[in-house]
Amino acid sequence: MSAWTCRRTRRVLEAFHDGELPVEQQVAVQTHLAQCTPCTTERARLAGIGATLREGMSDPMLDDAQTVGRRVLVTLPVVRELSWRRQVALLFDDMHLVWAGMGASAATLVCVAAALGLMRLTLREQPASMKAMIVAMADPGSNRNPLAPDGRLLMPTASLAGMIDPPMLDREDALVAFAAVVTREGTIRNLELLLQDAGQVPVGARAIGALFDAVSQTRFEPARALTGAPVAVNMVWLVAQTRVRGKTMTLVPMPLAVPVGRSRSTPTSRAPGLTEFPADVSTARV
Amino acid sequence: VRARFHCEPTGNPQAAPDNMLLQKRLASQLRAALDALPFDQRSVIVLREIDGLSYDEIAFSLGVTLGTVKSRLTRARRALRDVLQEPAA
């Protein structure tokens, strides 16, 4: 152990005098004092102050001082409670603690902000998460886990108030299949085009969009289980549009007299008085 | 300093009255110096020197930190030492 300097000794001399140093420092200071007269003199001054306070006072003064000490112990908590200004001043009495407290507060705020951010991220429901899948599987017939329609279900029907007539497709013959989920509330979800067959020219995207818009806006009476509870079901719709070209017969007046010598009627491949008028007046939709 | 303020038996019969007079005067100066100290420093020096409390006990009693106790004690002792070292008027 290296010998202590006077400067180092003076810094802890009071604590040494009061017996508040650790043992190794106490020994080091004692060793230094044994060979340093100025430090010994300084220590004697410290001791003199205490001795003067204790011994130099008369007994009444000593009693009074002790009474003061006890009174301080009793009244100080009250003073502390009453004087908020004193409390604030004490907060900044030791700046080391102030800086440490500010650092700790800042770190705490950062931690709280990080925790809140994580909570916000984790609380956001992820449809593809394991939890969401388990919840959906545990509730068949919910909007996330629709049922396949079978004989035990009352199929959904379009309500009259919410029925929208599907628009015509832009091809004469077309076949469009699409799937959707009719939810418990009777709305359409997850509308998906499965098939379109319109010959060589496909149905235009605008016509498909108009069809989907009409279907999406339609309100259904939801499918119901045997218990009467509404359930969500997967549905597939098939829209087939066929234009049927027909012939319209028009009756034309004919003379009643038949010339003699001529057959009354001559069957022809074409009936007289019938005129063909091509018309595409009817469209069958399924 | 200790020899200056401490009453030590001597062989001189005249020394005892002189020491008593000196002691009384120092006590008066000490009371004045103690009263002149700020309340914080006065409470700390009294609790330490008169009541003999440790630093931790003083800090707990006053509700302050250990460093605050040390600094107040140092300032109080310095003030008392300055007063006691002044030549008696």
Side-chain angles (χ1 to χ4, degrees):
Chain A
M1 185 174 61
S2 61
W4 281 38
T5 61
C6 288
R7 187 175 179 181
R8 187 177 178 184
T9 303
R10 295 289 176 89
R11 277 205 301 265
V12 297
L13 197 56
E14 265 188 278
F16 169 79
H17 169 69
D18 293 327
E20 297 280 348
L21 281 182
V23 176
E24 61 271 18
Q25 294 187 20
Q26 199 87 12
V27 171
V29 173
Q30 188 72 48
T31 304
H32 178 82
L33 289 179
Q35 54 193 2
C36 179
T37 304
C39 290
T40 305
T41 305
E42 184 64 26
R43 192 268 167 109
R45 285 178 182 162
L46 286 174
I49 293 172
T52 306
L53 280 172
R54 287 187 299 272
E55 299 173 7
M57 291 181 179
S58 59
D59 286 343
M61 284 183 66
L62 191 62
D63 291 341
D64 186 38
Q66 288 176 333
T67 305
V68 168
R70 294 190 188 95
R71 199 168 58 201
V72 165
L73 292 178
V74 171
T75 59
L76 210 68
V78 180
V79 173
R80 281 207 302 267
E81 287 292 329
L82 295 178
S83 173
W84 63 271
R85 287 185 181 178
R86 187 68 196 148
Q87 293 284 328
V88 174
L90 283 175
L91 290 178
F92 298 93
D93 205 12
D94 191 345
M95 288 305 291
H96 294 88
L97 293 179
V98 172
W99 294 123
M102 290 176 67
S105 300
T108 304
L109 286 177
V110 170
C111 290
V112 168
L116 290 178
L118 285 176
M119 286 177 63
R120 186 178 177 187
L121 283 179
T122 54
L123 288 179
R124 189 178 299 165
E125 192 172 357
Q126 301 291 335
S129 67
M130 182 67 75
K131 178 187 173 186
M133 292 174 65
I134 292 174
V135 170
M137 290 172 63
D139 186 15
S142 66
N143 293 341
R144 288 185 179 177
N145 187 15
L147 298 175
D150 56 19
R152 293 172 299 175
L153 295 178
L154 189 62
M155 298 301 291
T157 55
S159 60
L160 291 177
M163 181 181 292
I164 296 176
D165 194 24
M168 299 293 291
L169 299 176
D170 57 351
R171 297 290 177 265
E172 293 184 348
D173 297 323
L175 184 65
V176 176
F178 56 92
V181 174
V182 180
T183 65
R184 284 174 168 173
E185 294 78 26
T187 58
I188 296 293
R189 270 192 191 177
N190 304 340
L191 198 55
E192 181 184 4
L193 180 64
L194 296 179
L195 168 71
Q196 63 160 325
D197 183 9
Q200 294 180 348
V201 182
V203 179
R206 181 173 296 179
I208 295 290
L211 178 63
F212 278 17
D213 285 343
V215 173
S216 299
Q217 294 171 14
T218 302
R219 290 294 173 266
F220 289 81
E221 287 295 328
R224 294 189 180 276
L226 293 178
T227 60
V231 292
V233 290
N234 284 314
M235 297 292 292
V236 175
W237 278 276
L238 185 65
V239 177
Q241 176 175 298
T242 303
R243 290 181 180 242
V244 179
R245 294 182 182 276
K247 294 179 180 178
T248 303
M249 293 186 295
T250 304
L251 187 61
V252 177
M254 296 289 292
L256 294 175
V258 178
V260 177
R262 294 184 62 180
S263 62
R264 186 173 179 181
S265 64
T266 302
T268 60
S269 60
R270 184 175 177 182
L274 294 180
T275 306
E276 290 183 5
F277 292 96
D280 48 350
V281 294
S282 64
T283 300
R285 292 171 68 97
V286 179
Chain B
V1 175
R2 188 181 184 85
R4 180 181 170 190
F5 298 125
H6 189 62
C7 296
E8 293 183 355
T10 61
N12 188 358
Q14 293 292 329
D18 291 344
N19 280 338
M20 288 181 61
L21 183 61
L22 179 62
Q23 194 82 3
K24 192 172 180 180
R25 195 168 59 193
L26 286 176
S28 174
Q29 290 180 357
L30 197 65
R31 173 179 283 274
L34 199 60
D35 291 341
L37 287 178
F39 177 78
D40 294 339
Q41 297 177 22
R42 187 165 71 241
S43 58
V44 170
I45 194 73
V46 166
L47 291 174
R48 171 63 204 152
E49 297 292 357
I50 307 300
D51 290 325
L53 298 185
S54 68
Y55 288 179
D56 286 332
E57 291 169 335
I58 296 172
F60 179 76
S61 300
L62 300 183
V64 297
T65 64
L66 201 61
T68 304
V69 171
K70 290 178 182 177
S71 62
R72 288 179 183 175
L73 198 55
T74 299
R75 287 198 291 267
R77 278 175 169 153
R78 190 176 300 153
L80 288 181
R81 187 185 62 187
D82 293 343
V83 169
L84 293 177
Q85 282 182 343
E86 287 177 357

